Amino acid sequence: MQCSKRVVLPKPDVDNAVPNLGLHKADIKALIEKAGETMSGLARAYGIPESNVRNALCRPVLSGEIAIAEFLKLPPHVLWPDRWTTEGRRIRPRYKQKYIGLGPTLSVKRTA
């Protein structure tokens, strides 16, 4: 007996989701795996480091978030409402004030 290769991704239950939390990282990973792809394979397909896809599940990583959202055919604000607006604009990380004034390279001086 063979399994069917056709995979239908379930629609996320946005109506019953807790506001501003989005989907749990395990749910996002499960959707990727149900579609027949691995996190590593997804990174290779989009030409980005594997760590970008992995880390996007728990913290803001632009390239990883875009790759996951495009692969799942879901807008980023459904997956991460705390990181994206409904208009598709990125919400900056909350610690951006730490990097103001460091210059274009974002280098930090090491202290001995």
Side-chain angles (χ1 to χ4, degrees), residues 3-28:
C3 293
S4 173
K5 292 270 184 179
R6 184 175 175 207
V7 176
V8 178
L9 294 177
K11 297 271 186 197
D13 190 8
V14 181
D15 296 331
N16 293 326
V18 179
N20 295 326
L21 290 182
L23 295 176
H24 189 274
K25 64 182 181 179
D27 294 330
I28 297 171

Side-chain angles (χ1 to χ4, degrees), residues 93-109:
R94 62 183 177 168
Y95 295 118
K96 69 178 179 179
Q97 68 274 9
K98 283 185 170 183
Y99 304 106
I100 294 174
L102 290 178
T105 60
L106 294 178
S107 60
V108 178
K109 291 182 182 178

